[in-house]
Amino acid sequence: MLNFAPMKHIAFYRILPCILFLLCNLPAAAQIAAPDSLTFNTDSLRREFDNQPYFGIYKDNYFTFGVPVNHRPTRHNSNVKFQISIAQRLTKSTLPWGTYLFLFYTQKVFWNVLEKSLPMTDMNFNPGIGLVKPLFVKNRFIGKLSLLAEHESNGRDGVQSRSWNKISLGGSIMIDPNFVVHGKFWIPIVDGGENRDILDYSGIYQMGTQFFSANRRFGAAVILVKRRGWSLNYNTIVELNYRLFKGENQYLFAQYYNGYGEGLLEYKKFHNMFRVGIVIKPRIFSDY
């Protein structure tokens, strides 16, 4: 059994409910646009990006339970996976080229709730800092670009230590208000002695699409992460979400993961998992 002793520290359980409460109650201003908007007011968006520094959602925040698709589910291979992801803008006015400086933090946890003592077997920490540029073409908001310095590790030592860094360039483009394409490329700096081959499993770039229904009640996404090598070897993620209540950003959520690198500790292990739960999403489109 792999237990992460620090994860059981009581401070974690005190902090987590506070973070989840803040995410569920973020003001609309911090989310750029109302979830029912089918078109986005350009002047309003410009004011939002140039307003005072604000705290908000970065990537999707979710809490899910999952079972393997290719094996019989047991209490050892079924678990909870949840993610907390936040962003803080650090600059009040725009930097050169119309950019803004952001601080990001994402934490992903795998929690074996069916096993004795409910061990959290893997926790991945992903802080980052970088520039974000909103894109406006012919007075229309079409997406954003980002240049980030990121670190990702699992906080362990010895043979279970996993760590790497990357300089990443990403972009999300709204083809129309209901369809988004996105991509992210990175220059890796692998400093973890126990995961020198992580690019063979966790990838060298990613791309994907997001689709929303006309009333933005239903959404779907596909993300492909290219593993190192010339063959067509991808980690594939398919997500579906359905908004529970009008005017809120909480959704029923289903996620299918097929590939390697779902978590850092077992990045070499192939996972074929189906998960369901609740997700809290950014207002316009999600970051990956």
Side-chain angles (χ1 to χ4, degrees):
M1 181 68 63
L2 297 175
N3 288 340
F4 195 177
M7 296 179 192
K8 295 184 178 181
H9 195 281
I10 191 170
F12 174 78
Y13 295 100
R14 290 178 177 174
I15 294 172
L16 178 59
C18 298
I19 296 175
L20 292 176
F21 176 80
L22 287 171
L23 291 172
C24 291
N25 292 275
L26 287 173
Q31 297 302 313
I32 305 300
D36 293 314
S37 298
L38 301 182
T39 58
F40 306 108
N41 183 280
T42 301
D43 292 335
S44 176
L45 286 169
R46 288 184 187 276
R47 286 193 298 268
E48 286 294 347
F49 276 107
D50 200 29
N51 202 356
Q52 61 183 354
Y54 62 85
F55 169 85
I57 293 176
Y58 175 34
K59 300 179 182 179
D60 286 351
N61 290 259
Y62 55 76
F63 191 94
T64 62
F65 179 80
V67 297
V69 176
N70 56 337
H71 297 289
R72 182 176 66 86
T74 69
R75 61 190 179 95
H76 300 294
N77 61 19
S78 304
N79 60 16
V80 163
K81 173 186 173 185
F82 65 87
Q83 177 173 283
I84 297 170
S85 186
I86 55 178
Q88 173 67 43
R89 203 180 81 187
L90 301 178
T91 51
K92 185 174 183 178
S93 58
T94 59
L95 298 174
W97 304 292
T99 61
Y100 301 81
L101 183 64
F102 276 82
L103 182 67
F104 302 103
Y105 179 74
T106 301
Q107 185 171 305
K108 183 167 57 179
V109 178
F110 296 85
W111 187 5
N112 285 24
V113 296
L114 300 182
E115 294 186 1
K116 186 178 180 180
S117 80
L118 285 71
M120 291 184 175
T121 54
D122 192 14
M123 180 181 287
N124 301 166
F125 307 92
N126 181 205
I129 189 170
L131 298 173
V132 174
K133 177 179 175 57
L135 300 176
F136 296 91
V137 174
K138 295 182 178 180
N139 207 34
R140 173 175 172 255
F141 175 71
I142 65 165
K144 62 182 181 182
L145 297 175
S146 62
L147 178 63
L148 309 178
E150 301 182 67
H151 170 77
E152 188 174 16
S153 63
N154 65 346
R156 299 198 182 193
D157 57 12
V159 297
Q160 294 182 346
S161 174
R162 308 285 186 267
S163 177
W164 66 318
N165 309 283
K166 52 189 175 182
I167 306 298
S168 59
L169 175 63
S172 297
I173 302 297
M174 300 175 65
I175 306 302
D176 62 48
N178 299 322
F179 184 66
V180 178
V181 296
H182 58 86
K184 188 176 182 181
F185 305 83
W186 48 81
I187 301 172
I189 306 170
V190 181
D191 58 350
E194 301 298 329
N195 54 266
R196 291 295 183 183
D197 58 353
I198 194 169
L199 300 182
D200 296 333
Y201 300 90
S202 296
I204 55 176
Y205 69 84
Q206 68 183 42
M207 56 187 176
T209 63
Q210 299 177 59
F211 166 79
F212 309 93
S213 62
N215 61 1
R216 299 185 73 83
R217 195 77 183 262
F218 171 80
V222 177
I223 306 99
L224 301 176
V225 182
K226 178 65 175 68
R227 302 194 294 271
R228 182 165 57 183
W230 294 105
S231 60
L232 297 178
N233 50 353
Y234 291 86
N235 300 328
T236 304
I237 308 167
V238 179
E239 298 178 343
L240 301 174
N241 53 266
Y242 181 79
R243 183 149 49 93
L244 294 172
F245 305 106
K246 185 177 180 179
E248 296 188 4
N249 64 336
Q250 301 173 43
Y251 299 76
L252 289 176
F253 182 59
Q255 182 189 75
Y256 172 67
Y257 191 101
N258 179 280
Y260 299 88
E262 186 178 22
L264 283 179
L265 183 62
E266 296 183 330
Y267 72 95
K268 293 185 181 182
K269 183 177 179 180
F270 180 82
H271 287 92
N272 194 10
M273 299 288 294
F274 178 74
R275 304 178 184 276
V276 294
I278 297 291
V279 64
I280 304 168
K281 301 181 73 67
R283 296 297 190 182
I284 301 180
F285 52 73
S286 299
D287 285 289
Y288 293 95

